[in-house]
């Protein structure tokens, strides 16, 4: 497939994978999937623009916390809640202290256990609290912070799909995308996410990029542990990577000191 066609198909696949936008995914193979995972931060940034607009628009007519909660809800709606589901399933598997197939079987169950519920509540509360704080900032800083966090979340997926990281199962999303992203794409994604991060904290241009770096370090540590426990990545692991990176960046841009 020509490079331009592969890029277009990969971008469409990324949009349909990470959002509910009514876009036809087109061709589906590992090469296209790899392109989709590489451009995932761009889709995250676009989603961040939408969510930032929702936050800033609602904060004009509603209390900051209300605007923040609705924005978090819109984020779940626009992504089908898939990343939150992946987070819950992954935490349930980790909380079981089981390994390999036994842990993977827990992740496949349709119900959510206590560990998963606790993780969901914590993440949603933290994101809502941070967005309420961001609503009080100047609109360029607030928008940059939301764009950075949502783009960094999808950069977590890019990192999880880098070469050398195996799939936990021979089928499913993890098998399709595992090991499909090269180091150049990972580095380019990190630079692209760091750019809006420079404007995320007024007067402290270093804090946004630092928050991104810390979040990615945490995702790398989580992935290393999950590969040991599960044998590789799954679609649920990708969802967990999104939520962990997004939440940590949100925290990083509101910390003061």
């Amino acid at each position: 497939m020509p490079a331009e066609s592969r890029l277009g198909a990969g971008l469409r696949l990324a949009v349909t994978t990470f959002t509910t936008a009514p876009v036809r995914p087109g061709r589906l193979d590992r090469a296209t999937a790899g392109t989709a995972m590489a451009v995932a931060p761009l889709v995250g940034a676009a989603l961040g623009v939408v969510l930032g607009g929702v936050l800033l628009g609602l904060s004009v007519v509603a209390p900051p916390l209300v605007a923040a909660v609705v924005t978090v809800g819109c984020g779940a709606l626009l992504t089908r809640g898939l990343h939150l589901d992946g987070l819950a399933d992954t935490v349930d598997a980790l909380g079981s202290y089981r390994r390999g197939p036994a842990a993977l079987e827990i992740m496949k169950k349709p119900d959510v256990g206590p560990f998963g519920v606790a993780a969901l509540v914590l993440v949603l509360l933290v994101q809502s609290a941070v967005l309420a704080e961001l609503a009080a900032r100047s609109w360029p800083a607030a928008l940059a912070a939301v764009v950075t966090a949502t783009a960094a979340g999808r950069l977590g997926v890019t990192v999880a799909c880098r070469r050398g990281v195996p799939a936990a199962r021979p089928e499913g999303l993890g098998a399709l995308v595992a090991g499909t992203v090269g180091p150049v794409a990972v580095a380019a994604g990190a630079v692209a996410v760091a750019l809006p991060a420079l404007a995320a904290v007024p007067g402290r241009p270093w804090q946004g990029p630092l928050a991104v770096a810390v979040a990615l370090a945490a995702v790398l540590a989580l992935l290393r542990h999950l590969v040991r426990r599960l044998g590789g990545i799954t679609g649920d692991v990708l969802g967990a990577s999104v939520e962990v990176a997004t939440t940590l960046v949100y925290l990083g841009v509101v910390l003061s000191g």
Side-chain angles (χ1 to χ4, degrees):
M1 180 185 291
E4 291 184 355
S5 298
R6 185 168 61 250
L7 176 60
L11 184 58
R12 289 197 304 273
L13 180 60
V15 171
T16 58
T17 299
F18 296 106
T19 75
T20 57
V23 177
R24 301 175 67 179
R27 182 171 175 172
L28 181 61
D29 52 32
R30 276 184 60 82
T32 303
T35 301
M37 299 304 104
V39 301
L42 297 179
V43 176
L47 178 63
V49 171
V50 174
L51 295 178
V54 171
L55 176 68
L56 293 170
L58 285 177
S59 64
V60 175
V61 297
L65 184 56
V66 173
V69 171
V70 172
T71 301
V72 170
C74 286
L77 180 64
L78 292 175
T79 58
R80 305 181 190 89
L82 290 179
H83 310 318
L84 292 169
D85 179 69
L87 174 67
D89 288 342
T90 300
V91 173
D92 275 339
L94 289 176
S96 72
Y97 294 101
R98 297 182 182 179
R99 293 178 175 272
L104 292 172
E105 189 62 29
I106 290 174
M107 296 173 75
K108 290 175 64 176
K109 292 182 178 180
D111 59 322
V112 179
F115 286 104
V117 171
L120 289 177
V121 170
L122 178 62
V123 162
L124 294 174
L125 284 176
V126 169
Q127 291 185 7
S128 296
V130 170
L131 286 170
E133 172 67 21
L134 293 177
R137 293 184 178 178
S138 65
W139 75 262
L143 182 61
V146 177
V147 169
T148 298
T150 53
R154 281 67 190 172
L155 179 59
V157 172
T158 305
V159 170
C161 296
R162 70 192 188 282
R163 291 173 188 164
V165 179
R169 299 188 184 100
E171 74 287 333
L173 179 61
L176 179 65
V177 302
T180 59
V181 180
V184 174
V186 174
V191 171
V193 174
L195 291 177
L198 293 169
V201 184
R204 307 176 79 175
W206 53 267
Q207 188 167 339
L210 178 60
V212 173
V214 170
L216 290 184
V219 168
L220 284 170
L222 175 64
L223 288 170
R224 189 176 301 112
H225 181 63
L226 287 170
V227 168
R228 288 198 301 267
R229 287 283 298 275
L230 306 177
I233 64 170
T234 67
D236 285 330
V237 169
L238 299 183
S241 299
V242 170
E243 294 300 336
V244 168
T246 299
T247 304
L248 289 177
V249 170
Y250 272 139
L251 277 173
V253 298
V254 296
L255 293 177
S256 60

